[in-house]
């Protein structure tokens, strides 16, 4: 039998069969009532996951399209401050440079953000702050509520990437004062890649840039969404919308609280295994920062061959991720987001445990037993 590899990477993640099957239908008119109700229904569930009463739109484009929509619509010629402790924070800064005037507040990847630096930048007149809530590249969860508080105090706009937290961990857009938040379809929502969703606050609309991207013009999305039936400005990726609606029905049936609880337990199990192996976690924490509950980044000690590690795991039909850019060869990452639970986690931990031995690491104790104690 030819099995698909089990994707335990931080997106894309395995997609439940019902969600995949939803894409096989004959084409439907994207200006008709059926599409309108699929869009409206998806927006309703997504607003729950974002914890927001703000307007929300679904874009035909991956997470990066949502990043660009956020900055392109609200950051043009503005003073932007980007908090960076990983690749996606850096990407927000790079997008910002295409549209506005960016100050990067740089931390080492996986290290705490410099909130004093943020406060100084805000005092000096920064108008828009970008934050990646769950920095997938380095496995650290950043203090979104604290960043929101500072940003609000100074009257700036708060743009937050919730791509690998929304739908898998607690995100409270309204309580945290996030003006523009977004998620991608292929991470915690366990849908196929290619869609993203963006929420926009009233304060953000009041500061909508005059000159905006054409394809990602959120004012155009807003106008079309107000039509009856609800629409998108241009032809959307209809099969992906069908899949997303099915994925969101699964999310709703599980219930958000239970879903977040499941992600936390899986994360705890993986961290327990890492501790048992005697390996260091990659992120460096302080009281405000936490380990991610959707992806675990593990530091690779000297003498351990990362290529052998991942290749051995792959030999068992399981894919884990390495590090990106400067972290290549220095970390490995296990994604635990979406539709996975104990069977996938235990299989992954078993494979990694064996592979660590092949790659040159002598594990202290059994990570499998440690994870079983958390999950049992
Ligand atoms: C995956 C990811 C992105 C980029 O999304 P694409 O879907 O690859 O465009 C952005 N931010 C974070 C935190 C991510 O994990």
């Amino acid at each position: 039998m030819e099995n698909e590899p089990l994707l335990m990477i931080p997106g894309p993640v395995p997609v439940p069969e019902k969600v995949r099957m939803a894409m096989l239908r004959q084409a439907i008119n994207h200006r008709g009532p059926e599409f309108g109700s699929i869009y409206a229904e998806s927006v309703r569930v997504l607003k729950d996951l974002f914890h927001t009463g703000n307007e929300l739109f679904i874009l035909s484009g991956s997470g990066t399209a949502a990043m660009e929509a956020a900055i392109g619509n609200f950051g043009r010629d503005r003073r932007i401050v980007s908090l960076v402790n990983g690749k996606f924070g850096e990407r927000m800064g790079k997008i910002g440079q295409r549209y506005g005037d960016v100050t990067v507040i740089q931390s080492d990847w996986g290290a705490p953000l410099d909130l004093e630096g943020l406060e100084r930048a805000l005092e000096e007149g920064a108008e828009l702050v970008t934050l990646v809530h769950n920095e997938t590249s380095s496995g650290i969860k950043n203090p979104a509520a604290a960043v929101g508080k500072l940003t609000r105090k100074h009257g700036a706009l708060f743009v937050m990437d919730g791509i690998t937290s929304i739908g898998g961990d607690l995100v409270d857009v309204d309580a945290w004062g996030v003006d523009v938040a977004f998620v991608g379809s292929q991470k915690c929502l366990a849908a196929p890649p290619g869609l993203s969703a963006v929420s926009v606050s009233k304060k953000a609309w009041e500061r909508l840039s005059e000159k905006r991207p054409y394809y990602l013009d959120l004012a155009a999305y807003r106008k079309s969404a107000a039509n009856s039936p609800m629409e998108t400005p241009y032809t959307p990726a209809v099969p992906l919308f069908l899949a997303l609606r099915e994925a969101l029905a699964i999310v709703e049936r599980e219930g958000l609280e239970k879903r977040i609880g499941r992600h936390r337990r899986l994360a705890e199990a993986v961290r327990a295994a890492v501790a048992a192996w005697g390996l260091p976690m990659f992120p460096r924490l302080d009281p405000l920062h936490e380990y991610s509950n959707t992806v675990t980044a593990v530091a690779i000690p000297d003498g351990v061959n990362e290529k052998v590690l991942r290749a051995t795991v792959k030999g068992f039909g399981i894919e884990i991720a390495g590090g990106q850019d400067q972290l290549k060869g220095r970390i490995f990452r296990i994604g635990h987001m979406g539709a996975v639970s104990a069977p996938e986690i235990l299989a992954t931990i078993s494979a990694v445990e064996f592979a660590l031995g092949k790659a040159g690491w002598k594990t202290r104790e059994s990570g499998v037993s440690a994870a079983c104690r958390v999950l049992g």
Side-chain angles (χ1 to χ4, degrees), residues 145-193:
V147 170
K149 205 168 157 194
L150 274 177
T151 304
R152 206 164 18 182
K153 184 174 134 198
H154 293 272
L157 284 182
F158 180 20
V159 169
M160 189 189 82
D161 173 332
I163 290 182
T164 48
S165 53
I166 292 169
D169 204 345
L170 177 69
V171 170
D172 199 333
V173 163
D174 289 353
W176 298 350
V178 187
D179 294 294
V180 185
F182 42 87
V183 71
S185 54
Q186 81 278 28
K187 312 272 175 119
C188 299
L189 304 179

Side-chain angles (χ1 to χ4, degrees), residues 65-83:
M67 291 170 129
E68 184 147 16
I71 293 167
N73 281 271
F74 303 101
R76 166 80 69 177
D77 298 330
R78 298 242 157 89
R79 294 174 66 179
I80 299 171
V81 52
S82 290
L83 292 161

